[in-house]
Amino acid sequence: MTGLAGPRALTGTGVLTGVGVLARLALRRDRVLLPIWVYVIGILPVSFAVTFADLYPTAADRAEFARTSAGNATFMALYGPLSGSSLGELVVWRGGFIPVITGLISLLVVIRHTRTEEEAGRRELVGSTVVGRQAGLAAALVVTLAANLGLAVVTAAALSLRGLPVAGSVAAGLEYAAAGWIFAGVGAVAAQLTTSAGAARGIATVALAGSFAARVLGDHGGFTVPGGPGGSWEWLSWASPIGLVQRIGPYAATSGAERWWVLAVAAGLVAALVAAAVALSARRDLGAGLLPDRLGRAEAAPAFGSPLALTWRLHRGLLAGWLTGFALLGLVFGGVAAGVTDLVEDNPGLGDVFTRLGGRAGLIDAYLAAIMSILGMIAAGYAIQAVLRLRAEEAAGRAEPVLATAVSRPRWAASHLVFAALGPAAAMLLAGAVTGLVYGLTDGGVGRQTARGLGWAAAQLPAVALLAAIALALFGLLPRLWAMSWAVLAACLFIGLVGSGLNLSHWLLDLSPFTHTTHASGGSADPLPLASLCVLVLALAAVGLAGLRRRDIPTT
């Protein structure tokens, strides 16, 4: 604990000794996930550029789209204010959620290499060597900041090669990177507050959600890039890190130039957060947090006597958080549905496209298919996380005492798989029901639209279950490669969000199970793709459980 500082002080070890070694270790551990994250998010705006160029080929078309979309309250909530109609401005506006994604990934990476290491006991082991007290925190921040810088470079290069102005492309890349840098600092602060990595992730995620909510309220207060302050709530956008980085204004032709000075403000905020994290780290014991832990009961409840009851205690907080998040997403996406049809009414050219798809009903079907596919990929992340709780329990040494009792390995695994299967299903169905309900309130058919929303959500469940089964198969057969589960999800996200825009081959698009569930949705669709996915799920689950029964626990 604190006594570790004594020997290091006697040998002259500095607080940052070993940063380079620990940074290389972190890069080695994330050598698969970090490049995928940087590349996929970095080229994602290119797909928006391709889409806008195809749907709105002329400046007049883009101006008409901007006119009808700028005042749409739902679009403003999702993406932020639209300040102009140039292709670059439309691309950055459509990517308004990217700063949220980069912020989320950055805070998770920092917590993974700080608080998670302490919780698992590895930080204390490393600290017994010639390593400075702040080296672990510094290494995590260096790796995360460097990854975000790489993201900025990829984004700027990809958009520039697409023919967009270089200055605006650089500004767009730095906007995304600045959001990641800020929330890396937030994650570093949260990691000092609690003894649990899960609690630290919760605190940092709430801060991210609060920043997004503040941005939404501030944008509805009347802010526009060209005109400056205009509404009583506009200050909230500037106070929000998400709103702050968006004020850089890439491709801001209407205002004359990008707001480069916002980067200096963001850099100051990052420096303040890092300084706070370092100061808090110096005030606590290794392995402890600044917030006191809540004491548990002296004796376990009578019902707390089965693997399923233990698993419920482990998963209930995660389940509640995901259900709440999916309900809110359903609320937002259901409200967007009405705005989508308004765009068709104001754009005859776009209306002709969707008329060929089946008119208004065809447009809503296409919208619901796309939205539920995205929600399905998000739910797959929850399913993978729930399955990999098995790996976390094994790595922390908590699986062995459970298996030392009369509990068999399949029964132990099944208690976690119940939540890996039912949790994402409940989240998807809740999101589908809320989406249909909210849209039905505007459409006049609440019952019919709610049922349709449930149907579209249910169609994604086989693909969600397949990714969970892949994670289980890796855990059972190749537990050291468990991180490949996230790589598979990242590949599905890449195919789903970027594949069509980049005109990838059909066989590449078909590698994602969500391609098949989206096409198989609807009342008259062929059920064969869904049935095939279900067979694959059962086969991979059986393989994973068979491997778990035969291998060593813990893995050596």
Side-chain angles (χ1 to χ4, degrees), residues 24-75:
R24 290 195 297 272
L25 176 61
L27 287 172
R28 178 176 175 80
R29 294 180 62 194
D30 290 341
R31 62 187 179 276
V32 175
L33 296 181
L34 279 183
I36 291 175
W37 158 44
V38 169
Y39 181 73
V40 172
I41 301 300
I43 68 171
L44 183 58
V46 175
S47 68
F48 302 147
V50 173
T51 301
F52 277 117
D54 290 342
L55 292 178
Y56 308 97
T58 67
D61 292 335
R62 291 191 288 270
E64 179 63 19
F65 174 83
R67 184 187 67 81
T68 58
S69 302
N72 188 299
T74 305
F75 284 176

Side-chain angles (χ1 to χ4, degrees), residues 301-533:
F304 194 58
S306 68
L308 187 60
L310 172 61
T311 309
W312 163 249
R313 293 289 295 272
L314 296 174
H315 285 265
R316 62 183 181 181
L318 186 66
L319 176 62
W322 278 93
L323 290 177
T324 302
F326 268 68
L328 293 176
L329 288 174
L331 184 66
V332 171
F333 290 134
V336 170
V340 171
T341 56
D342 291 341
L343 290 179
V344 176
E345 295 173 359
D346 294 329
N347 191 319
L350 189 59
D352 292 339
V353 174
F354 286 110
T355 297
R356 293 194 294 270
L357 293 176
R360 179 186 175 92
L363 170 61
I364 296 301
D365 285 349
Y367 169 76
L368 286 176
I371 289 303
M372 290 305 160
S373 178
I374 294 173
L375 288 178
M377 287 183 274
I378 298 174
Y382 173 25
I384 293 173
Q385 185 180 12
V387 170
L388 293 182
R389 185 61 192 248
L390 289 164
R391 178 59 181 169
E393 293 295 295
E394 177 186 0
R398 294 187 291 267
E400 291 177 272
V402 174
L403 296 175
T405 65
V407 177
S408 64
R409 294 188 183 190
R411 186 184 175 194
W412 170 66
S415 65
H416 288 270
L417 296 180
V418 167
F419 292 92
L422 298 184
M428 279 298 300
L429 294 176
L430 178 60
V434 173
T435 300
L437 174 64
V438 173
Y439 175 64
L441 291 174
T442 62
D443 183 68
V446 173
R448 181 172 60 89
Q449 297 299 344
T450 301
R452 294 179 72 221
L454 285 169
W456 285 98
Q460 305 299 321
L461 295 181
V464 175
L466 180 60
L467 265 67
I470 291 174
L472 176 61
L474 289 172
F475 169 70
L477 293 176
L478 303 168
R480 294 181 179 178
L481 299 181
W482 61 268
M484 292 301 298
S485 306
W486 296 110
V488 173
L489 176 59
C492 292
L493 285 168
F494 174 78
I495 292 173
L497 297 177
V498 184
S500 299
L502 297 180
N503 295 320
L504 296 180
S505 301
H506 287 293
W507 70 269
L508 283 174
L509 296 176
D510 289 341
L511 290 178
S512 170
F514 295 96
T515 301
H516 304 287
T517 55
T518 301
H519 292 164
S521 301
S524 60
D526 184 3
L528 181 59
L530 301 182
S532 301
L533 290 176

